[in-house]
């Protein structure tokens, strides 16, 4: 029996992960569940999955939850609660399904304990990739990607020699604005940007997908996960989201991983790797799909993707600035304070303003994240 700690169990990845766990009751159980504010969802999850420990946003939320569930399980709160859960509770796998920079600290605790990290929270690798991968090596923590593209690449690399890889081809759906002109970025509504053609996800990653910042973050994620230089990481638009990504080898051969756009499959793989367990998820019907198409991404239109490549070249704390600026800009867009077209503008301003530090320590990363947030908050 493997015990799984889920950081962010009320979110899109967290809920899918609990569905996977439910499918294999004799293989997996919930060791701890954490949410930010949705204690209504957590209450139901406690009822169904019986975790010995949960973590919520603050003392007030903890009090509310205790009133509802009594002493069915231990209830902790805040960032200290998250860190304590990852550092002390008994578990085998940490599923990083929180969104944003906040997931970094508890995930690093799991790395220090040499746990398997099933990683959906790409922001942790973007902001602290160098430190994270160094620590994972040092503490023998196995990092298995959950992000569908990186799960695909990981699967294509099984049994292969990494030195024989010519390039990684990350596929991107292109999001809701693929076939629209860039002029509309000044006027698109939040609702239009949240209307992703293929995937149902949390709001932050859905906006990132519309701006293609998501693919930019994924280029940086791939750089750290697979140790590939930026020039060997190519992005190709594939609107059907059936090929989740590909690896091209020295002999020109390309391996691809295919699946329906459903995160349950990469989540299951990250939990069961190297095994493949039989499930009853829907299968692809190839004739029904008919055809798959591919296009070059337009970096002039999707500026965020270009910025991410530039930031990867710059290294140091530049990816941390990019991430923090993007998190604040996306929040501002979602609350109607700025235009969609201002997201890359704010990120560029922050990158110009905040100086870069090479090989940053955790303290430097925190300071840089903080400074960037403060700077972008006052932009309008
Ligand atoms: P979501 O918004 O649906 O869920 C986020 C979860 O994190 C929730 O449980 C929320 O309570 C928790 N959370 C948010 N802020 C927190 C904070 N400050 N402190 C503690 N908990 C907090 O997001 P999601 O779509 O499930 O995405 C989660 C992560 O997985 C993101 O990093 C995203 O980029 C990545 N990811 C998601 C998908 C997907 O299909 N949804 C695919 C690939 C990667
Ligand atoms: Mg992805």
């Amino acid at each position: 029996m493997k015990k799984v700690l889920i950081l962010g169990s009320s979110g899109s990845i967290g809920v899918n992960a609990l569905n996977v766990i439910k499918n294999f009751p004799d293989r997996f159980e919930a060791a701890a569940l954490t949410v930010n504010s949705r204690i209504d969802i957590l209450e139901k999850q406690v009822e169904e999955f019986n975790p010995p420990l949960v973590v919520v946003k603050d003392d007030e939320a903890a009090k509310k939850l205790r009133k509802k569930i009594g002493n069915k399980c231990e209830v902790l709160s805040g960032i200290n609660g998250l860190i304590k859960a990852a550092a002390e509770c008994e578990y085998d796998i940490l599923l990083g399904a929180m969104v944003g920079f906040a997931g970094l600290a508890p995930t690093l605790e799991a790395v220090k304990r040499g746990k398997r990290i099933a990683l959906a929270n790409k922001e942790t690798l973007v902001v602290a990739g160098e430190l994270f991968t160094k620590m994972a090596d040092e503490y023998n923590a196995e990092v298995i990607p959950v992000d569908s593209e990186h799960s695909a690449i990981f699967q294509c690399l099984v049994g292969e020699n990494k030195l024989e890889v010519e390039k990684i081809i990350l596929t991107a759906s292109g999001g809701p604005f693929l076939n629209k002109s860039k002029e509309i970025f000044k006027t698109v509504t939040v609702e239009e940007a949240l209307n992703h053609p293929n995937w149902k996800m949390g709001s932050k990653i859905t906006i990132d997908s519309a701006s293609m910042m998501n693919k930019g973050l994924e280029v940086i994620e791939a750089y750290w996960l697979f140790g590939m230089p930026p020039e060997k990481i190519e992005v190709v638009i594939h609107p059907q989201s059936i090929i989740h990504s590909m690896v091209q080898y020295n002999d020109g051969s390309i391996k691809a991983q295919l699946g329906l756009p459903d995160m349950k499959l990469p989540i299951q793989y990250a939990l069961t790797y190297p095994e493949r367990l039989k499930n009853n998820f829907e299968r692809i019907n190839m004739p029904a799909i008919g055809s798959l198409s591919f296009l070059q991404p337009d970096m002039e239109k999707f500026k965020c993707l270009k910025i991410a490549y530039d930031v990867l070249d710059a290294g140091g704390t530049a990816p941390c600035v990019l991430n923090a600026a993007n998190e604040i800009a996306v929040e501002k867009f979602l609350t109607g304070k700025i235009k969609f077209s201002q997201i890359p503008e704010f990120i560029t301003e922050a990158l110009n303003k905040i100086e870069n530090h090479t090989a940053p320590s955790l303290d430097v990363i925190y300071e840089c994240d903080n400074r960037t947030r403060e700077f972008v908050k006052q932009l309008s």
Side-chain angles (χ1 to χ4, degrees):
M1 186 67 99
K2 294 259 190 265
K3 296 181 193 305
V4 188
L5 187 167
I6 304 181
L7 292 176
S9 66
S10 60
S12 152
I13 293 287
V15 168
N16 272 311
L18 284 170
N19 276 329
V20 171
I21 288 179
K22 197 157 63 179
N23 270 322
F24 303 104
D26 49 345
R27 297 288 296 251
F28 300 107
E29 63 185 2
L33 301 178
T34 86
V35 307
N36 204 30
S37 49
R38 296 298 305 269
I39 55 170
D40 54 327
I41 297 180
L42 183 59
E43 187 192 346
K44 291 196 186 108
Q45 293 178 341
V46 168
E47 198 60 52
E48 188 172 1
F49 295 96
N50 262 313
L53 172 71
V54 297
V55 187
V56 295
K57 184 180 179 181
D58 51 27
D59 287 348
E60 197 184 320
K63 223 184 263 169
K64 262 193 208 155
L65 184 69
R66 275 197 207 98
K67 238 187 220 162
K68 291 189 172 169
I69 62 166
N71 29 13
K72 259 197 198 125
C73 64
E74 192 182 346
V75 183
L76 300 176
S77 66
I79 183 67
N80 290 335
L82 290 172
I83 290 176
K84 188 165 188 232
E88 294 175 19
C89 129
E90 192 192 327
Y91 65 97
D92 304 287
I93 304 172
L94 176 132
L95 179 76
M98 271 166 67
V99 59
F101 182 85
L104 176 62
T107 309
L108 284 179
E109 292 303 321
V111 170
K112 281 193 224 158
R113 291 175 74 189
K115 301 292 185 189
R116 171 177 290 195
I117 316 287
L119 191 67
N121 178 216
K122 62 193 85 185
E123 293 92 344
T124 60
L125 271 180
V126 171
V127 299
E130 192 171 352
L131 193 83
F132 190 100
T133 45
K134 224 191 249 168
M135 282 175 63
D137 266 359
E138 189 182 334
Y139 293 98
N140 259 324
E142 198 181 16
V143 182
I144 317 282
V146 167
D147 213 347
S148 57
E149 295 77 1
H150 305 75
S151 174
I153 293 161
F154 186 92
Q155 294 181 55
C156 292
L157 286 170
V158 169
E160 300 286 351
N161 180 352
K162 257 200 205 164
L163 298 174
E164 292 171 354
V165 172
E166 203 162 76
K167 68 177 172 185
I168 278 174
I169 305 165
L170 277 177
T171 54
S173 69
F177 305 134
L178 176 64
N179 298 315
K180 302 266 187 320
S181 93
K182 67 177 176 209
E183 314 314 323
I184 65 150
F185 286 177
K186 287 196 180 91
T187 53
V188 291
T189 64
V190 171
E191 201 187 356
E192 285 166 331
L194 282 175
N195 187 22
H196 196 282
N198 304 340
W199 297 93
K200 279 204 168 47
M201 312 177 282
S203 53
K204 193 263 179 182
I205 182 174
T206 307
I207 299 301
D208 285 348
S209 299
S211 68
M212 284 197 78
M213 176 51 89
N214 183 50
K215 212 48 55 180
L217 299 176
E218 290 185 354
V219 168
I220 303 175
E221 185 185 9
Y223 173 84
W224 291 114
L225 280 172
F226 307 113
M228 292 289 153
E231 62 276 13
K232 287 190 171 189
I233 306 173
E234 181 180 323
V235 173
V236 168
I237 306 266
H238 165 47
Q240 296 82 13
S241 298
I242 293 295
I243 295 183
H244 294 310
S245 275
M246 304 174 249
V247 178
Q248 180 171 314
Y249 291 91
N250 279 342
D251 57 359
S253 183
I254 294 179
K255 279 169 90 175
Q257 187 263 342
L258 285 71
L260 290 168
D262 180 345
M263 289 307 292
K264 288 201 296 300
L265 178 52
I267 292 168
Q268 177 181 319
Y269 188 76
L271 297 181
T272 66
Y273 169 80
E275 277 184 278
R276 288 188 183 273
L277 300 188
K278 182 130 192 87
N279 61 28
N280 59 2
F281 304 159
E282 193 187 342
R283 281 10 184 189
I284 293 186
N285 176 343
M286 291 286 187
I289 290 169
S291 61
L292 300 177
S293 52
F294 305 93
L295 298 149
Q296 190 94 358
D298 180 346
M299 301 251 200
E300 285 298 308
K301 174 173 156 187
F302 293 106
K303 292 195 180 98
C304 289
L305 181 57
K306 168 83 172 64
I307 297 172
Y309 270 105
D310 292 345
V311 150
L312 191 51
D313 277 337
T317 45
C320 178
V321 173
L322 165 121
N323 180 71
N326 182 56
E327 284 191 28
I328 299 296
V330 168
E331 204 178 288
K332 284 191 176 208
F333 173 69
L334 279 170
T335 49
K337 296 193 181 99
I338 63 167
K339 296 176 191 154
F340 186 73
S341 58
Q342 287 178 286
I343 296 174
E345 291 169 14
F346 281 19
I347 297 168
T348 305
E349 280 198 53
L351 284 164
N352 290 337
K353 169 81 182 174
I354 315 277
E355 77 270 25
N356 196 355
H357 294 270
T358 49
S361 65
L362 199 53
D363 285 346
V364 170
I365 290 167
Y366 270 95
E367 201 191 308
C368 171
D369 175 76
N370 225 345
R371 279 195 58 201
T372 308
R373 280 168 202 270
E374 291 312 313
F375 174 72
V376 179
K377 271 182 196 163
Q378 50 82 41
L379 296 179
S380 57

